[in-house]
């Protein structure tokens, strides 16, 4: 699989702006609960997991895996998600945490082997699932703040 990676490796701060939303009851979710982020026992497992929950701005998602190689890969479109397109922002560290600071719909899958095809994929809908049409001016400040707070993650991009 590594041969398909182009090592455009950047270090990016994954923003967590929970502090900016102090008034909200932000929740930290362990993706898949006890199962974690892995090839699920049935292909609709993560769909059911998300359908039982309502997510909001400031919520954090922890992608945990303890055995085997996985990734939390965010793809851009529903089509890519449906097709298990393994191209996008790949977070390869078990325990990676992602916090969303705006409404929107995010598509995650595992880019390893056929894990996605076996159901290791998940749609996270924040709020109404509709992203704001323009970036809020505060985002840069939020990112700067987060840089002070959070660890650095390597982000791999697939070609
Ligand atoms: Cu996987």
């Amino acid at each position: 699989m590594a041969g398909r990676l182009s090592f455009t490796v950047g270090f990016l701060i994954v923003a967590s702006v929970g502090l900016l939303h102090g008034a909200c009851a932000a929740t930290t979710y362990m993706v898949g609960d006890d199962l974690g982020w892995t090839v699920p026992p049935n292909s609709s497992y993560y769909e059911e997991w998300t359908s039982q929950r309502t997510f909001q701005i400031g919520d954090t998602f922890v992608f945990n895996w303890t055995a085997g190689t996985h990734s939390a890969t965010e793809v851009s479109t529903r089509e890519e998600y449906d097709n298990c397109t393994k191209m996008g922002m790949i977070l390869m560290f078990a325990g990676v945490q992602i916090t969303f600071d705006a409404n929107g719909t995010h598509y995650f899958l595992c880019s390893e082997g056929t894990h996605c095809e076996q159901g290791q994929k998940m749609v996270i809908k924040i709020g109404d699932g509709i992203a704001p049409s323009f970036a809020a001016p505060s985002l840069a400040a939020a990112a700067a703040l987060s840089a002070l707070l959070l660890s650095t993650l390597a982000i791999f991009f697939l070609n």
Side-chain angles (χ1 to χ4, degrees):
M1 298 306 294
R4 290 166 55 191
L5 286 171
S6 90
F7 286 90
T8 309
V9 180
F11 285 91
L12 190 73
I13 305 302
V14 172
S16 168
V17 292
L19 285 182
L20 299 182
H21 301 278
C24 303
T27 304
T28 296
Y29 293 96
M30 305 300 293
V31 171
D33 292 327
D34 289 342
L35 182 69
W37 180 241
T38 188
V39 177
N42 62 75
S43 60
S44 60
Y45 181 89
Y46 291 106
E47 188 181 333
E48 290 164 13
W49 187 85
T50 52
S51 72
Q52 292 160 4
R53 293 161 176 81
T54 303
F55 306 122
Q56 61 180 351
I57 289 172
D59 285 350
T60 296
F61 297 81
V62 182
F63 291 80
N64 239 331
W65 58 89
T66 53
T69 303
H70 300 289
S71 72
T73 298
E74 183 173 9
V75 297
S76 304
T77 66
R78 178 87 215 187
E79 187 181 15
E80 289 175 352
Y81 176 84
D82 287 341
N83 294 330
C84 285
T85 302
K86 297 173 182 75
M87 179 174 70
M89 184 178 76
I90 305 178
L91 306 170
M92 302 192 74
F93 294 92
V96 63
Q97 299 189 16
I98 301 172
T99 303
F100 296 101
D101 62 357
N103 285 349
T105 302
H106 301 270
Y107 304 97
F108 287 92
L109 53 83
C110 178
S111 60
E112 292 296 325
T114 58
H115 295 186
C116 175
E117 286 81 355
Q118 295 175 74
Q120 194 179 1
K121 61 198 298 195
M122 181 175 67
V123 180
I124 295 177
K125 194 167 122 179
I126 305 295
D128 60 7
I130 301 170
S133 56
F134 58 90
S138 66
L139 283 181
L145 174 63
S146 297
L148 296 172
L149 296 177
L150 285 186
S151 58
T152 306
L153 295 167
I155 312 296
F156 297 78
F157 291 90
L158 269 181
N159 267 350

